[in-house]
Amino acid sequence: MRIRYTVLLPPLLPLLACAIWGIMNPEGMVTTMRGWSDWVMLHFDWLFNGSTFACLLIVVAAYISPLGRVKIGGDTATPLLSRPRWFAITVCTTIATGILFWGTAEPIYHVSGPPEAGLAEPDVFAMSIMYLHWTFTPYGMYTLGGLLFALAFYNRRQPFAISSLLEPLLGERIHKKAGAAVDVICLFALVAGMAGSLGAGTLSLSGGLASERTPLVLGLIIAAIVIAFSVSAASGLQRGIRLLSGINVVGFMLLAVFVFFTGPTLDALALSFSAAGEYVSTFVPRNLGLDPGIDAAWGRAWTSFYWAGWYAWAPVTALFLGRLGRGYTVRAFIRVNLLYTSLFGAFWMVCFAAIGLVTDESGQLSAALTEGGPEAVIYVLLDTLPLAELTPGLFLLLVFLSYVTAADSNISAMSALCVEGITPERQEAPLFVKLLWGGIIGTTAWVMVAFAGIDGIRLVNTLGGFPAMFLFLLAGGSLLVLVVRSWRARPLVQGRGKGSVEDLRSESGKGAKRL
C-alpha cells in the first residue's frame, strides 16, 4: 500500500496549526471559531434542516423501490457479519458518547429553557424533541451514506473513497478531478466531529470521577481513551470492534432496563406516549424548522447544531457502515441502520430522558445541571436509584467503551482513505496511519474541551458538519439516480459477475433479466 499524501497532508497540517493556535491563544481561537459557527448557523440552518429531512425521504424511497431487493455484493456475496453482530457494531459505532452524554442532560435543558415562554407541557415538548434529535432523522442521514457506499464499493466496484458516493450522479470523472479534494474535506469534518464527541465523553468521565476539569486532568482522560482506541484499531474490524461492540451493547441494554424498572416507570411511560404523539403530529414542520412554537434562535442552538454534528461524522462513517452490509439486501441494510437503531434510540430516551424528566419534579437534576454542568446530571439520576454504588461505575465503563468503539471504526475508515490499494478483500490500512489520526483527534479534542468546555464541543461540530452537508446533498442525488434506474429496470452495473442483480419482477428469479 502507498500513502496518498494529497489526502493525508491537506487536513493534517491545518489541524496541527489549529492545535498550536489553541494552546498559544485559546481565547482568541475560541472567539474566532464562535464567529464562524454563528455565521454558518445564521445563514444555513434552513439547509441543515431541509437536507436531513430529504435524506430520510430518499432512504424510504430506496426501501420501497425495486432497488430494495438488490443484494449488496451481488447474488453470490456472503455476509461479513451475523445480523446480531451487525446490529451491535452499528449501534455502538453511531451512537458513540452522544446519547450517553445528552440523553439525560438535554431534556433538562429543554424544560429549563423552552423555546416558547409559558409552554403548556414542557416535559412533553422536551421528550418529543429527544425523539426528533436521536431517532429517524439523523439515522436517515447515516443510512443514506452507508447504503450508497456499499452499493458503490461492492456492486459498482468503485474505489475506497468518499468520492465514490458521487459516482452515480457525476460519473467516473469525480475520481479524477475532485476525488482527493472530497476525501480531504470529509477527513477534516470527521476529525472535528470526533473531537467534539471525545470532548463530550471526556466531560462525562470527569464528572463521574468527581475530578476537577483542569487541562491536566482532561488531558490524562483523553490520553487514556486515545491509547485504548489505538490498540483496538490495531487489531482490525474482526477483533477489536467486534469484541468491544458486543460488550458495549449488552452493557447498554442492562443499564437501560435497570433504570427503566427501578425508576418511576409508569409515569415515564405516560410521558413517553404523550411525547410520541406530539413527535408524530409535528414531524414535518419540526424537521423543516417551520414549527411556529419554536424560536429560530433556539432551533439553531439545538436542532441545527445536532444535524451539523451528525453530518460531521456521516461521510467517513458511511465508509465503515457500508463495509458491514456485504451479503445482505438493501432493505435489510435499511432496517438495521435506520429502523432498528432508531427504535433503540427511542428506547434509550424512554429509559433515561423520560425517567429523568419525571424524577426532576423535585428539582434535583435541574440543580445538578446548574451547579455541575450537563456531565453531572446522569450521575445524580443514578444516585436516586437502587445500587447507586455500582451503576455510576458501569456508566463510566460504557462511556469509555462507547467512544473507543466509535473512534476505532472511524479511524479505520479514515486511515483507509489515506492509502492506495484498499479492496473488498484487503480493507485495513497500515497501523502507523491509524496511530497518527488517533493522536490528531486527541489533541484537537483536548484543546477544545480544556479551553472552551461545552462551547468547544458545539463549535467543532458545527464547523465540521458544514462542508459535509454539501457532500450529502450530492450523495442524495446519487442514491436517487440508482432508485430511478431500478424502477426503469436498468442495470446497477454493466456485465456479469459480482454486481449482477436478479429480476425483481419475478419472485422465483427464473428466467430473470438483470436490472
Side-chain angles (χ1 to χ4, degrees):
M1 293 184 178
R2 293 189 303 170
I3 302 298
R4 297 173 66 197
Y5 289 103
T6 55
V7 173
L8 177 66
L9 294 181
L12 188 64
L13 297 178
L15 285 168
L16 286 172
C18 286
I20 295 172
W21 180 21
I23 294 172
M24 297 181 64
N25 184 15
E27 293 183 2
M29 181 195 68
V30 171
T31 300
T32 302
M33 292 182 66
R34 182 174 288 115
W36 295 343
S37 176
D38 290 345
W39 183 87
V40 167
M41 283 303 180
L42 183 63
H43 292 87
F44 291 95
D45 62 325
W46 62 273
L47 192 54
F48 278 114
N49 294 328
S51 59
T52 52
F53 189 51
C55 286
L56 179 60
L57 295 180
I58 293 170
V59 169
V60 172
Y63 187 87
I64 63 178
S65 74
L67 184 69
R69 298 174 67 178
V70 170
K71 190 174 186 181
I72 296 171
D75 297 338
T76 60
T78 56
L80 185 67
L81 299 166
S82 66
R83 288 179 187 267
R85 287 190 180 275
W86 185 20
F87 172 72
I89 292 177
T90 300
V91 165
C92 295
T93 56
T94 53
I95 285 177
T97 53
I99 201 169
L100 296 170
F101 184 80
W102 293 107
T104 309
E106 184 190 337
I108 306 303
Y109 270 113
H110 298 333
V111 171
S112 304
E116 186 181 55
L119 196 66
E121 296 181 281
D123 284 5
V124 174
F125 168 80
M127 190 65 190
S128 66
I129 284 292
M130 295 301 288
Y131 291 144
L132 176 68
H133 290 167
W134 293 100
T135 60
F136 289 97
T137 305
Y139 279 113
M141 185 194 315
Y142 274 176
T143 304
L144 184 146
L147 174 59
L148 188 56
F149 180 75
L151 294 172
F153 188 55
Y154 287 118
N155 294 68
R156 299 177 67 83
R157 309 300 289 177
Q158 294 297 306
F160 192 94
I162 298 173
S163 55
S164 295
L165 299 177
L166 310 183
E167 183 271 336
L169 181 67
L170 302 178
E172 293 284 348
R173 63 182 180 276
I174 185 63
H175 300 305
K176 299 177 182 178
K177 297 183 177 180
V182 170
D183 291 344
V184 165
I185 292 171
C186 292
L187 282 174
F188 183 87
L190 181 64
V191 170
M194 291 182 68
S197 182
L198 177 54
T202 303
L203 291 178
S204 291
L205 289 170
S206 67
L209 295 172
S211 58
E212 296 184 11
R213 290 188 297 176
T214 64
L216 176 61
V217 170
L218 294 173
L220 291 174
I221 294 173
I222 289 173
I225 296 175
V226 170
I227 291 171
F229 70 63
S230 297
V231 171
S232 178
S235 64
L237 170 64
Q238 299 298 330
R239 297 179 183 175
I241 298 175
R242 178 181 288 190
L243 175 63
L244 290 177
S245 62
I247 297 172
N248 219 3
V249 78
V250 171
F252 275 141
M253 296 302 297
L254 288 176
L255 184 62
V257 169
F258 171 80
V259 171
F260 179 74
F261 284 108
T262 58
T265 306
L266 296 180
D267 290 339
L269 281 175
L271 173 60
S272 300
F273 283 120
S274 297
E278 180 174 306
Y279 168 68
V280 173
S281 64
T282 61
F283 184 77
V284 174
R286 285 186 179 173
N287 268 285
L288 296 176
L290 300 177
D291 189 332
I294 295 182
D295 179 74
W298 191 96
R300 288 193 293 269
W302 283 104
T303 302
S304 299
F305 153 72
Y306 273 123
W307 301 160
W310 287 83
Y311 266 131
W313 283 74
V316 178
T317 302
L319 305 187
F320 179 78
L321 295 180
R323 291 162 60 187
L324 304 183
R326 189 187 73 190
Y328 292 98
T329 65
V330 167
R331 285 178 184 156
F333 188 96
I334 294 173
R335 285 195 294 269
V336 169
N337 286 272
L338 175 62
L339 178 61
Y340 302 158
T341 51
S342 296
L343 292 177
F344 181 88
F347 171 69
W348 186 270
M349 292 310 158
V350 171
C351 296
F352 284 87
I355 293 288
L357 286 168
V358 174
T359 302
D360 193 47
E361 291 178 356
S362 61
Q364 290 175 281
L365 304 190
S366 295
L369 179 64
T370 302
E371 297 170 7
E375 63 271 24
V377 175
I378 179 62
Y379 297 103
V380 174
L381 174 63
L382 293 176
D383 282 342
T384 67
L385 303 175
L387 302 179
E389 65 280 2
L390 298 178
T391 51
L394 175 60
F395 183 80
L396 278 173
L397 178 63
L398 287 177
V399 171
F400 186 82
L401 291 180
S402 182
Y403 190 82
V404 169
T405 307
D408 182 347
S409 64
N410 283 282
I411 284 178
S412 176
M414 292 169 66
S415 302
L417 281 178
C418 298
V419 298
E420 295 178 351
I422 297 294
T423 65
E425 295 76 28
R426 188 184 184 191
Q427 300 188 15
E428 294 295 334
L431 176 60
F432 82 91
V433 180
K434 297 179 180 180
L435 297 179
L436 177 63
W437 280 119
I440 292 297
I441 291 166
T443 302
T444 304
W446 175 72
V447 169
M448 295 308 301
V449 77
F451 299 110
I454 195 71
D455 288 337
I457 296 171
R458 291 180 174 274
L459 293 176
V460 295
N461 275 346
T462 301
L463 297 177
F466 182 55
M469 173 180 61
F470 292 98
L471 171 75
F472 264 64
L473 288 172
L474 296 174
S478 289
L479 188 55
L480 275 178
V481 168
L482 297 182
V483 169
V484 171
R485 286 181 180 177
S486 73
W487 282 111
R488 294 179 177 178
R490 292 181 58 186
L492 187 65
V493 292
Q494 300 296 331
R496 298 183 177 274
K498 204 156 189 174
S500 62
V501 183
E502 63 184 354
D503 183 14
L504 302 182
R505 294 169 297 180
S506 170
E507 293 184 0
S508 66
K510 295 179 180 179
K513 296 180 180 179
R514 292 171 11 119
L515 273 180

